[in-house]
Amino acid sequence: MGFLKPPKLPAPAPAPPPPLPPVAPTPPPPPPVPEKIEPEVKEDIAKEQAAVERKRRGRKSTILTSPLGIQESEEEKLETLLGK
């Protein structure tokens, strides 16, 4: 029978944690060191970046259509001796 048991008392509150030690300020970062890059290395880096840009574009630039239809000039529409 539940009414014969004495009421449960709440558990005592835990002790507060000890205070944290003060944080030391961070030292300022060292000044940047200028790197000397040879012109040949700069050219190689520029070539690699250009190759990456070309590959990123892919075949998107070769598509001649758009939501408006085929994008070609009037001169390209004319018949040629070899075309027809």
Side-chain angles (χ1 to χ4, degrees):
M1 294 197 202
F3 63 89
L4 295 178
K5 294 181 184 178
K8 291 185 180 181
L9 297 176
L20 297 174
V23 178
T26 58
V33 179
E35 295 182 22
K36 295 181 181 178
I37 300 176
E38 297 181 16
E40 299 152 355
V41 176
K42 285 185 180 180
E43 290 175 11
D44 292 340
I45 293 172
K47 287 179 184 177
E48 288 176 14
Q49 288 176 346
V52 168
E53 283 296 317
R54 276 194 309 272
K55 290 177 184 177
R56 187 178 299 164
R57 279 187 246 136
R59 289 187 282 171
K60 184 177 180 181
S61 62
T62 62
I63 298 174
L64 298 176
T65 59
S66 72
L68 302 175
I70 296 177
Q71 301 292 314
E72 59 183 18
S73 65
E74 290 294 324
E75 292 179 8
E76 293 174 354
K77 290 182 183 178
L78 295 176
E79 295 180 7
T80 62
L81 293 176
L82 296 175
K84 281 191 173 183

